[in-house]
Amino acid sequence: MFIEHLPPESHTMTALRNELTPQQLAEQADKGEPEKGRWSQQEQILASVYDAVRYLEWTLKCVNTDKKAKTPDPPEPMRRPGAGPRKKKAQLTDKSANRLFELLQGGAA
């Protein structure tokens, strides 16, 4: 009973959350229970502000980049606790491009 009323950032609550499986963390995220996340609400808000500032900085760079130059890549959001690693973007190689072209032209697998 006392444990339920501890602040989310307390050592005890952090230790309990760290024992959760990725599936349990995902279920809590789906239920919208930020207090059960690995960060306190203040840390979550600060991360959101950090992401917003970086996005605004990126937007400013894009607006001031010469139209002929390559647009800078957008910033990656700060990784949140309980979130799995980001998936790498697929790179289109010459081999995969040729294979895709063959498939689009009616080539069999």
Short mmCIF file of all heavy atoms in Angstrom, two decimals, residues 16-76:
data_model
loop_
_atom_site.label_atom_id
_atom_site.label_comp_id
_atom_site.label_asym_id
_atom_site.label_seq_id
_atom_site.Cartn_x
_atom_site.Cartn_y
_atom_site.Cartn_z
N LEU A 16 11.34 -1.43 -9.31
CA LEU A 16 10.19 -2.25 -9.72
C LEU A 16 9.95 -2.16 -11.22
O LEU A 16 9.70 -3.17 -11.89
CB LEU A 16 8.93 -1.82 -8.97
CG LEU A 16 8.89 -2.15 -7.47
CD1 LEU A 16 7.69 -1.48 -6.81
CD2 LEU A 16 8.85 -3.65 -7.26
N ARG A 17 10.05 -0.95 -11.77
CA ARG A 17 9.85 -0.78 -13.21
C ARG A 17 10.94 -1.46 -14.02
O ARG A 17 10.69 -2.01 -15.08
CB ARG A 17 9.81 0.71 -13.57
CG ARG A 17 8.49 1.37 -13.28
CD ARG A 17 8.47 2.76 -13.85
NE ARG A 17 9.56 3.58 -13.41
CZ ARG A 17 9.57 4.30 -12.29
NH1 ARG A 17 8.53 4.28 -11.49
NH2 ARG A 17 10.62 5.04 -11.97
N ASN A 18 12.16 -1.43 -13.50
CA ASN A 18 13.27 -2.04 -14.24
C ASN A 18 13.12 -3.55 -14.33
O ASN A 18 13.76 -4.19 -15.17
CB ASN A 18 14.60 -1.68 -13.59
CG ASN A 18 14.99 -0.24 -13.86
OD1 ASN A 18 14.46 0.39 -14.75
ND2 ASN A 18 15.91 0.27 -13.07
N GLU A 19 12.29 -4.13 -13.52
CA GLU A 19 12.04 -5.57 -13.56
C GLU A 19 10.95 -5.95 -14.55
O GLU A 19 10.73 -7.11 -14.83
CB GLU A 19 11.66 -6.09 -12.16
CG GLU A 19 12.78 -5.99 -11.14
CD GLU A 19 14.00 -6.80 -11.54
OE1 GLU A 19 13.84 -7.94 -12.01
OE2 GLU A 19 15.12 -6.27 -11.40
N LEU A 20 10.26 -4.96 -15.10
CA LEU A 20 9.18 -5.24 -16.04
C LEU A 20 9.74 -5.71 -17.37
O LEU A 20 10.80 -5.28 -17.80
CB LEU A 20 8.32 -3.99 -16.26
CG LEU A 20 7.55 -3.47 -15.06
CD1 LEU A 20 6.85 -2.17 -15.41
CD2 LEU A 20 6.55 -4.48 -14.55
N THR A 21 8.99 -6.55 -18.03
CA THR A 21 9.38 -7.01 -19.37
C THR A 21 9.01 -5.93 -20.37
O THR A 21 8.17 -5.07 -20.08
CB THR A 21 8.62 -8.31 -19.73
OG1 THR A 21 7.22 -8.01 -19.84
CG2 THR A 21 8.85 -9.40 -18.71
N PRO A 22 9.60 -5.97 -21.57
CA PRO A 22 9.22 -4.99 -22.60
C PRO A 22 7.73 -5.02 -22.91
O PRO A 22 7.12 -3.99 -23.16
CB PRO A 22 10.05 -5.41 -23.81
CG PRO A 22 11.25 -6.08 -23.22
CD PRO A 22 10.74 -6.78 -21.99
N GLN A 23 7.13 -6.20 -22.86
CA GLN A 23 5.69 -6.32 -23.12
C GLN A 23 4.89 -5.59 -22.03
O GLN A 23 3.93 -4.88 -22.33
CB GLN A 23 5.27 -7.78 -23.19
CG GLN A 23 3.79 -7.95 -23.48
CD GLN A 23 3.36 -9.41 -23.50
OE1 GLN A 23 4.16 -10.31 -23.27
NE2 GLN A 23 2.09 -9.65 -23.76
N GLN A 24 5.29 -5.75 -20.77
CA GLN A 24 4.58 -5.08 -19.68
C GLN A 24 4.73 -3.56 -19.80
O GLN A 24 3.78 -2.82 -19.56
CB GLN A 24 5.10 -5.56 -18.33
CG GLN A 24 4.73 -6.99 -18.01
CD GLN A 24 5.46 -7.52 -16.78
OE1 GLN A 24 6.65 -7.25 -16.60
NE2 GLN A 24 4.76 -8.26 -15.95
N LEU A 25 5.93 -3.10 -20.18
CA LEU A 25 6.13 -1.66 -20.36
C LEU A 25 5.26 -1.13 -21.49
O LEU A 25 4.66 -0.06 -21.39
CB LEU A 25 7.60 -1.36 -20.66
CG LEU A 25 8.54 -1.33 -19.47
CD1 LEU A 25 9.98 -1.24 -19.93
CD2 LEU A 25 8.20 -0.18 -18.55
N ALA A 26 5.15 -1.90 -22.58
CA ALA A 26 4.32 -1.49 -23.72
C ALA A 26 2.86 -1.42 -23.31
O ALA A 26 2.14 -0.50 -23.71
CB ALA A 26 4.51 -2.45 -24.88
N GLU A 27 2.40 -2.37 -22.50
CA GLU A 27 1.01 -2.37 -22.04
C GLU A 27 0.73 -1.13 -21.21
O GLU A 27 -0.32 -0.51 -21.34
CB GLU A 27 0.72 -3.62 -21.23
CG GLU A 27 0.62 -4.89 -22.05
CD GLU A 27 0.53 -6.15 -21.21
OE1 GLU A 27 0.43 -6.05 -19.96
OE2 GLU A 27 0.56 -7.24 -21.79
N GLN A 28 1.69 -0.75 -20.34
CA GLN A 28 1.49 0.45 -19.52
C GLN A 28 1.47 1.70 -20.39
O GLN A 28 0.71 2.62 -20.14
CB GLN A 28 2.60 0.55 -18.47
CG GLN A 28 2.42 -0.47 -17.37
CD GLN A 28 3.52 -0.40 -16.34
OE1 GLN A 28 4.48 0.34 -16.49
NE2 GLN A 28 3.38 -1.17 -15.27
N ALA A 29 2.30 1.72 -21.42
CA ALA A 29 2.31 2.87 -22.33
C ALA A 29 0.98 2.96 -23.06
O ALA A 29 0.45 4.06 -23.26
CB ALA A 29 3.46 2.75 -23.31
N ASP A 30 0.42 1.81 -23.47
CA ASP A 30 -0.87 1.81 -24.17
C ASP A 30 -2.00 2.29 -23.27
O ASP A 30 -2.96 2.89 -23.73
CB ASP A 30 -1.20 0.41 -24.69
CG ASP A 30 -0.28 -0.02 -25.83
OD1 ASP A 30 0.32 0.87 -26.46
OD2 ASP A 30 -0.18 -1.23 -26.09
N LYS A 31 -1.87 2.01 -21.98
CA LYS A 31 -2.90 2.43 -21.03
C LYS A 31 -2.78 3.92 -20.68
O LYS A 31 -3.66 4.47 -20.03
CB LYS A 31 -2.81 1.61 -19.74
CG LYS A 31 -3.17 0.16 -19.90
CD LYS A 31 -3.00 -0.57 -18.59
CE LYS A 31 -3.17 -2.07 -18.74
NZ LYS A 31 -2.88 -2.77 -17.48
N GLY A 32 -1.69 4.54 -21.10
CA GLY A 32 -1.51 5.96 -20.81
C GLY A 32 -1.23 6.22 -19.35
O GLY A 32 -1.85 7.08 -18.73
N GLU A 33 -0.31 5.46 -18.78
CA GLU A 33 0.05 5.63 -17.38
C GLU A 33 1.50 6.15 -17.28
O GLU A 33 2.40 5.40 -16.95
CB GLU A 33 -0.10 4.32 -16.62
CG GLU A 33 -1.51 3.78 -16.63
CD GLU A 33 -1.63 2.42 -15.97
OE1 GLU A 33 -0.92 1.50 -16.38
OE2 GLU A 33 -2.41 2.32 -15.02
N PRO A 34 1.72 7.45 -17.56
CA PRO A 34 3.09 7.96 -17.54
C PRO A 34 3.75 7.85 -16.18
O PRO A 34 4.97 7.77 -16.09
CB PRO A 34 2.94 9.42 -17.96
CG PRO A 34 1.53 9.76 -17.69
CD PRO A 34 0.75 8.48 -17.84
N GLU A 35 2.96 7.82 -15.13
CA GLU A 35 3.54 7.71 -13.80
C GLU A 35 4.24 6.37 -13.58
O GLU A 35 5.03 6.21 -12.68
CB GLU A 35 2.48 7.93 -12.71
CG GLU A 35 1.44 6.83 -12.60
CD GLU A 35 0.30 6.98 -13.61
OE1 GLU A 35 0.31 7.89 -14.43
OE2 GLU A 35 -0.62 6.14 -13.55
N LYS A 36 3.95 5.40 -14.45
CA LYS A 36 4.60 4.10 -14.33
C LYS A 36 5.76 3.97 -15.30
O LYS A 36 6.35 2.91 -15.43
CB LYS A 36 3.59 2.98 -14.57
CG LYS A 36 2.54 2.90 -13.47
CD LYS A 36 1.63 1.73 -13.65
CE LYS A 36 0.62 1.67 -12.51
NZ LYS A 36 -0.31 0.56 -12.68
N GLY A 37 6.08 5.04 -15.99
CA GLY A 37 7.22 5.04 -16.89
C GLY A 37 8.51 5.09 -16.09
O GLY A 37 8.51 5.31 -14.88
N ARG A 38 9.63 4.93 -16.78
CA ARG A 38 10.90 4.93 -16.07
C ARG A 38 11.38 6.34 -15.73
O ARG A 38 12.30 6.50 -14.97
CB ARG A 38 11.96 4.22 -16.91
CG ARG A 38 11.69 2.75 -17.02
CD ARG A 38 12.82 2.06 -17.69
NE ARG A 38 12.48 0.66 -17.85
CZ ARG A 38 13.33 -0.27 -18.16
NH1 ARG A 38 14.58 0.03 -18.37
NH2 ARG A 38 12.95 -1.52 -18.29
N TRP A 39 10.79 7.33 -16.34
CA TRP A 39 11.13 8.71 -16.01
C TRP A 39 9.98 9.36 -15.27
O TRP A 39 8.83 8.97 -15.43
CB TRP A 39 11.37 9.52 -17.27
CG TRP A 39 12.67 9.29 -17.93
CD1 TRP A 39 13.70 8.50 -17.50
CD2 TRP A 39 13.10 9.86 -19.16
NE1 TRP A 39 14.73 8.55 -18.40
CE2 TRP A 39 14.39 9.38 -19.42
CE3 TRP A 39 12.52 10.73 -20.06
CZ2 TRP A 39 15.10 9.75 -20.54
CZ3 TRP A 39 13.22 11.10 -21.18
CH2 TRP A 39 14.51 10.61 -21.41
N SER A 40 10.31 10.37 -14.48
CA SER A 40 9.24 11.13 -13.83
C SER A 40 8.54 11.99 -14.88
O SER A 40 9.03 12.15 -16.00
CB SER A 40 9.83 12.04 -12.74
OG SER A 40 10.59 13.08 -13.33
N GLN A 41 7.43 12.55 -14.51
CA GLN A 41 6.69 13.38 -15.45
C GLN A 41 7.52 14.60 -15.85
O GLN A 41 7.50 15.02 -17.00
CB GLN A 41 5.37 13.82 -14.82
CG GLN A 41 4.48 14.56 -15.81
CD GLN A 41 3.12 14.84 -15.23
OE1 GLN A 41 2.91 14.76 -14.03
NE2 GLN A 41 2.18 15.19 -16.08
N GLN A 42 8.29 15.15 -14.91
CA GLN A 42 9.14 16.30 -15.23
C GLN A 42 10.19 15.93 -16.27
O GLN A 42 10.47 16.72 -17.18
CB GLN A 42 9.82 16.81 -13.97
CG GLN A 42 8.88 17.50 -13.02
CD GLN A 42 9.56 17.89 -11.73
OE1 GLN A 42 10.56 17.30 -11.35
NE2 GLN A 42 8.99 18.88 -11.04
N GLU A 43 10.76 14.76 -16.14
CA GLU A 43 11.76 14.32 -17.11
C GLU A 43 11.14 14.11 -18.49
O GLU A 43 11.75 14.43 -19.51
CB GLU A 43 12.45 13.05 -16.62
CG GLU A 43 13.34 13.29 -15.43
CD GLU A 43 13.79 12.01 -14.76
OE1 GLU A 43 12.97 11.08 -14.66
OE2 GLU A 43 14.95 11.96 -14.33
N GLN A 44 9.92 13.58 -18.53
CA GLN A 44 9.23 13.39 -19.80
C GLN A 44 8.95 14.74 -20.46
O GLN A 44 9.14 14.90 -21.67
CB GLN A 44 7.90 12.64 -19.60
CG GLN A 44 8.06 11.21 -19.15
CD GLN A 44 8.44 10.30 -20.30
OE1 GLN A 44 8.58 10.69 -21.44
NE2 GLN A 44 8.63 9.03 -19.98
N ILE A 45 8.51 15.72 -19.67
CA ILE A 45 8.22 17.05 -20.21
C ILE A 45 9.51 17.69 -20.71
O ILE A 45 9.53 18.29 -21.79
CB ILE A 45 7.52 17.92 -19.16
CG1 ILE A 45 6.12 17.38 -18.89
CG2 ILE A 45 7.48 19.39 -19.58
CD1 ILE A 45 5.42 18.00 -17.70
N LEU A 46 10.58 17.57 -19.95
CA LEU A 46 11.86 18.15 -20.35
C LEU A 46 12.35 17.53 -21.66
O LEU A 46 12.85 18.24 -22.54
CB LEU A 46 12.90 17.96 -19.25
CG LEU A 46 14.25 18.62 -19.49
CD1 LEU A 46 14.10 20.12 -19.69
CD2 LEU A 46 15.18 18.34 -18.32
N ALA A 47 12.18 16.23 -21.81
CA ALA A 47 12.58 15.57 -23.06
C ALA A 47 11.73 16.08 -24.23
O ALA A 47 12.24 16.28 -25.33
CB ALA A 47 12.44 14.05 -22.92
N SER A 48 10.46 16.32 -24.00
CA SER A 48 9.59 16.86 -25.05
C SER A 48 10.03 18.26 -25.45
O SER A 48 10.04 18.61 -26.64
CB SER A 48 8.13 16.89 -24.59
OG SER A 48 7.67 15.59 -24.37
N VAL A 49 10.39 19.08 -24.47
CA VAL A 49 10.88 20.43 -24.76
C VAL A 49 12.19 20.35 -25.54
O VAL A 49 12.39 21.07 -26.52
CB VAL A 49 11.05 21.24 -23.46
CG1 VAL A 49 11.79 22.54 -23.70
CG2 VAL A 49 9.70 21.50 -22.83
N TYR A 50 13.07 19.44 -25.14
CA TYR A 50 14.35 19.24 -25.83
C TYR A 50 14.10 18.89 -27.30
O TYR A 50 14.72 19.45 -28.20
CB TYR A 50 15.13 18.13 -25.12
CG TYR A 50 16.38 17.69 -25.83
CD1 TYR A 50 17.57 18.37 -25.67
CD2 TYR A 50 16.36 16.55 -26.64
CE1 TYR A 50 18.72 17.95 -26.32
CE2 TYR A 50 17.50 16.12 -27.30
CZ TYR A 50 18.68 16.83 -27.12
OH TYR A 50 19.82 16.41 -27.76
N ASP A 51 13.18 17.96 -27.54
CA ASP A 51 12.86 17.56 -28.91
C ASP A 51 12.29 18.73 -29.71
O ASP A 51 12.62 18.92 -30.87
CB ASP A 51 11.85 16.40 -28.92
CG ASP A 51 12.45 15.10 -28.44
OD1 ASP A 51 13.69 14.98 -28.44
OD2 ASP A 51 11.68 14.20 -28.07
N ALA A 52 11.42 19.53 -29.08
CA ALA A 52 10.82 20.67 -29.77
C ALA A 52 11.87 21.71 -30.15
O ALA A 52 11.85 22.24 -31.26
CB ALA A 52 9.73 21.30 -28.90
N VAL A 53 12.81 21.98 -29.25
CA VAL A 53 13.87 22.95 -29.54
C VAL A 53 14.74 22.44 -30.68
O VAL A 53 15.09 23.19 -31.61
CB VAL A 53 14.70 23.24 -28.28
CG1 VAL A 53 15.97 24.01 -28.62
CG2 VAL A 53 13.88 24.01 -27.26
N ARG A 54 15.10 21.16 -30.66
CA ARG A 54 15.91 20.61 -31.74
C ARG A 54 15.17 20.64 -33.07
O ARG A 54 15.76 20.90 -34.11
CB ARG A 54 16.34 19.18 -31.40
CG ARG A 54 17.34 19.18 -30.24
CD ARG A 54 18.05 17.88 -30.04
NE ARG A 54 18.84 17.56 -31.22
CZ ARG A 54 18.95 16.33 -31.72
NH1 ARG A 54 18.35 15.33 -31.14
NH2 ARG A 54 19.67 16.10 -32.79
N TYR A 55 13.86 20.40 -33.05
CA TYR A 55 13.07 20.45 -34.28
C TYR A 55 13.02 21.88 -34.82
O TYR A 55 13.12 22.10 -36.03
CB TYR A 55 11.67 19.90 -34.03
CG TYR A 55 10.86 19.78 -35.30
CD1 TYR A 55 11.07 18.72 -36.17
CD2 TYR A 55 9.91 20.74 -35.63
CE1 TYR A 55 10.34 18.61 -37.35
CE2 TYR A 55 9.19 20.64 -36.81
CZ TYR A 55 9.41 19.58 -37.66
OH TYR A 55 8.69 19.49 -38.82
N LEU A 56 12.85 22.85 -33.92
CA LEU A 56 12.83 24.25 -34.36
C LEU A 56 14.19 24.66 -34.93
O LEU A 56 14.25 25.38 -35.93
CB LEU A 56 12.46 25.16 -33.18
CG LEU A 56 11.00 25.14 -32.77
CD1 LEU A 56 10.80 25.92 -31.48
CD2 LEU A 56 10.11 25.68 -33.86
N GLU A 57 15.26 24.18 -34.31
CA GLU A 57 16.60 24.46 -34.83
C GLU A 57 16.76 23.86 -36.23
O GLU A 57 17.29 24.51 -37.13
CB GLU A 57 17.65 23.87 -33.87
CG GLU A 57 19.07 24.08 -34.32
CD GLU A 57 20.06 23.39 -33.39
OE1 GLU A 57 19.73 22.29 -32.87
OE2 GLU A 57 21.15 23.93 -33.22
N TRP A 58 16.29 22.65 -36.42
CA TRP A 58 16.36 21.98 -37.72
C TRP A 58 15.55 22.77 -38.76
O TRP A 58 15.98 22.97 -39.88
CB TRP A 58 15.84 20.55 -37.60
CG TRP A 58 15.72 19.84 -38.91
CD1 TRP A 58 16.73 19.35 -39.68
CD2 TRP A 58 14.52 19.56 -39.63
NE1 TRP A 58 16.23 18.76 -40.83
CE2 TRP A 58 14.87 18.89 -40.81
CE3 TRP A 58 13.17 19.82 -39.37
CZ2 TRP A 58 13.93 18.46 -41.73
CZ3 TRP A 58 12.24 19.39 -40.29
CH2 TRP A 58 12.62 18.73 -41.46
N THR A 59 14.35 23.22 -38.36
CA THR A 59 13.51 24.00 -39.27
C THR A 59 14.22 25.28 -39.69
O THR A 59 14.20 25.64 -40.87
CB THR A 59 12.16 24.34 -38.59
OG1 THR A 59 11.51 23.14 -38.20
CG2 THR A 59 11.26 25.14 -39.52
N LEU A 60 14.86 25.94 -38.75
CA LEU A 60 15.60 27.16 -39.05
C LEU A 60 16.74 26.88 -40.03
O LEU A 60 16.97 27.65 -40.97
CB LEU A 60 16.15 27.77 -37.76
CG LEU A 60 16.86 29.11 -37.88
CD1 LEU A 60 15.91 30.18 -38.41
CD2 LEU A 60 17.43 29.53 -36.54
N LYS A 61 17.43 25.77 -39.84
CA LYS A 61 18.50 25.39 -40.77
C LYS A 61 17.93 25.13 -42.16
O LYS A 61 18.52 25.52 -43.16
CB LYS A 61 19.24 24.15 -40.27
CG LYS A 61 20.14 24.40 -39.11
CD LYS A 61 20.80 23.11 -38.67
CE LYS A 61 21.64 23.31 -37.43
NZ LYS A 61 22.24 22.05 -36.97
N CYS A 62 16.80 24.44 -42.24
CA CYS A 62 16.19 24.14 -43.54
C CYS A 62 15.78 25.41 -44.28
O CYS A 62 15.99 25.53 -45.48
CB CYS A 62 14.96 23.24 -43.36
SG CYS A 62 15.36 21.56 -42.89
N VAL A 63 15.22 26.37 -43.55
CA VAL A 63 14.77 27.61 -44.16
C VAL A 63 15.96 28.41 -44.70
O VAL A 63 15.86 29.07 -45.72
CB VAL A 63 13.97 28.45 -43.13
CG1 VAL A 63 13.74 29.86 -43.60
CG2 VAL A 63 12.66 27.77 -42.81
N ASN A 64 17.11 28.31 -44.02
CA ASN A 64 18.27 29.10 -44.40
C ASN A 64 19.28 28.33 -45.24
O ASN A 64 20.38 28.82 -45.51
CB ASN A 64 18.95 29.66 -43.16
CG ASN A 64 18.09 30.73 -42.51
OD1 ASN A 64 17.71 31.70 -43.14
ND2 ASN A 64 17.76 30.53 -41.25
N THR A 65 18.92 27.12 -45.66
CA THR A 65 19.80 26.34 -46.52
C THR A 65 19.51 26.69 -47.97
O THR A 65 18.35 26.85 -48.35
CB THR A 65 19.58 24.83 -46.29
OG1 THR A 65 19.89 24.53 -44.92
CG2 THR A 65 20.45 23.98 -47.19
N ASP A 66 20.55 26.82 -48.77
CA ASP A 66 20.38 27.11 -50.19
C ASP A 66 19.51 26.03 -50.82
O ASP A 66 19.64 24.85 -50.50
CB ASP A 66 21.76 27.16 -50.86
CG ASP A 66 21.66 27.62 -52.30
OD1 ASP A 66 21.00 28.65 -52.56
OD2 ASP A 66 22.26 26.95 -53.17
N LYS A 67 18.64 26.41 -51.72
CA LYS A 67 17.70 25.47 -52.33
C LYS A 67 18.39 24.35 -53.09
O LYS A 67 17.86 23.26 -53.23
CB LYS A 67 16.73 26.21 -53.25
CG LYS A 67 15.77 27.09 -52.50
CD LYS A 67 14.80 27.77 -53.43
CE LYS A 67 13.87 28.66 -52.62
NZ LYS A 67 12.92 29.36 -53.46
N LYS A 68 19.60 24.61 -53.58
CA LYS A 68 20.33 23.60 -54.34
C LYS A 68 21.08 22.64 -53.42
O LYS A 68 21.50 21.57 -53.85
CB LYS A 68 21.32 24.27 -55.30
CG LYS A 68 20.63 25.08 -56.37
CD LYS A 68 21.62 25.74 -57.28
CE LYS A 68 20.90 26.60 -58.32
NZ LYS A 68 21.85 27.31 -59.18
N ALA A 69 21.25 23.02 -52.16
CA ALA A 69 21.99 22.18 -51.22
C ALA A 69 21.08 21.08 -50.66
O ALA A 69 19.85 21.18 -50.70
CB ALA A 69 22.54 23.03 -50.08
N LYS A 70 21.72 20.05 -50.15
CA LYS A 70 20.97 18.94 -49.54
C LYS A 70 20.34 19.41 -48.24
O LYS A 70 20.97 20.08 -47.43
CB LYS A 70 21.93 17.78 -49.26
CG LYS A 70 21.24 16.57 -48.66
CD LYS A 70 22.26 15.47 -48.39
CE LYS A 70 21.60 14.24 -47.81
NZ LYS A 70 21.26 14.36 -46.41
N THR A 71 19.08 19.09 -48.06
CA THR A 71 18.38 19.44 -46.82
C THR A 71 18.94 18.62 -45.68
O THR A 71 19.12 17.41 -45.80
CB THR A 71 16.87 19.15 -46.97
OG1 THR A 71 16.38 19.82 -48.12
CG2 THR A 71 16.10 19.59 -45.75
N PRO A 72 19.22 19.26 -44.54
CA PRO A 72 19.73 18.49 -43.41
C PRO A 72 18.72 17.45 -42.93
O PRO A 72 17.51 17.64 -43.06
CB PRO A 72 19.97 19.54 -42.32
CG PRO A 72 19.56 20.85 -42.87
CD PRO A 72 19.04 20.66 -44.25
N ASP A 73 19.23 16.37 -42.38
CA ASP A 73 18.35 15.33 -41.84
C ASP A 73 17.65 15.86 -40.60
O ASP A 73 18.24 16.58 -39.80
CB ASP A 73 19.15 14.08 -41.47
CG ASP A 73 19.71 13.38 -42.69
OD1 ASP A 73 19.11 13.50 -43.77
OD2 ASP A 73 20.76 12.72 -42.56
N PRO A 74 16.38 15.48 -40.40
CA PRO A 74 15.69 15.92 -39.18
C PRO A 74 16.31 15.29 -37.95
O PRO A 74 16.90 14.21 -38.02
CB PRO A 74 14.25 15.44 -39.39
CG PRO A 74 14.34 14.36 -40.41
CD PRO A 74 15.55 14.64 -41.24
N PRO A 75 16.20 15.96 -36.82
CA PRO A 75 16.81 15.41 -35.60
C PRO A 75 16.07 14.18 -35.10
O PRO A 75 14.86 14.05 -35.28
CB PRO A 75 16.69 16.57 -34.60
CG PRO A 75 15.51 17.35 -35.08
CD PRO A 75 15.50 17.21 -36.58
N GLU A 76 16.81 13.30 -34.49
CA GLU A 76 16.21 12.13 -33.85
C GLU A 76 15.65 12.57 -32.50
O GLU A 76 16.32 13.30 -31.77
CB GLU A 76 17.27 11.04 -33.62
CG GLU A 76 17.76 10.39 -34.89
CD GLU A 76 16.75 9.42 -35.48
OE1 GLU A 76 15.96 8.83 -34.72
OE2 GLU A 76 16.75 9.29 -36.71
#
